[in-house]
Structure formats: structure tokens, C-alpha cells
Amino acid sequence: MPRYIIERRFAEQLKMSDDVKAHIKEINDEVGVEWIFSFLSADKRKTYCLYEAPDEECLRKAAERLNIPADVITPVDRIDPGIFA
């Protein structure tokens, strides 16, 4: 399945409870996307999230349903440093 990085900018510092994470997973499952992991900036106002999804539209649909930003969506390929050994 294709992978994407989503850059999200938040007005306030991001705080995420287990309940919020469970809700995100529920909506993502309904839309057909999988949140793999995220990086959180030092100021806790920006995330870079790796997802697997059929297409960008599914990612935008999930973000809209969750009322969270999806400022930049970039298709990505994996590069594994182990291939150089």
C-alpha cells in the first residue's frame, strides 16, 4: 500500500490521550488508512506522520472527520540504510 508523510500544524501544543488515539484509530479504520507513527516537534505544535493509505483523498477524508489539519501530504518511498552493507 502507498505511504505518505502528513505535515500537521496545530495552533496549540498537541496533547493526546489514549482515548483520542483510540478515536483516531477508529476513524482511520473506517476510512481505510493506517497511522504508522509520528514525530512531534520540540514546541509540540507540528507533527510529521507516516501513514499507509490507498490515496491522498482517503487521508484528507480521515483528517476532515477527525477535525485535524493535513497541511502537506507527500507520497514517500522507503529507503533502508541496510541495503548499503
Side-chain angles (χ1 to χ4, degrees), residues 15-78:
K15 295 179 179 119
M16 192 174 298
S17 68
D18 288 341
D19 289 341
V20 169
K21 290 180 210 173
H23 180 65
I24 290 170
K25 178 163 179 24
E26 177 184 334
I27 297 301
N28 285 345
D29 287 349
E30 290 175 10
V31 175
V33 303
E34 182 179 357
W35 175 24
I36 299 172
F37 63 83
S38 295
F39 293 100
L40 180 61
S41 65
D43 67 1
K44 298 184 184 341
R45 294 182 58 201
K46 189 182 282 190
T47 61
Y48 301 90
C49 308
L50 179 62
Y51 276 83
E52 287 186 345
D55 54 41
E56 289 183 37
E57 184 57 33
C58 290
L59 294 167
R60 292 191 189 285
K61 184 176 182 180
E64 184 177 306
R65 288 187 57 192
L66 290 162
N67 196 31
I68 58 176
D71 300 303
V72 179
I73 299 176
T74 305
V76 294
D77 288 322
R78 181 178 174 145

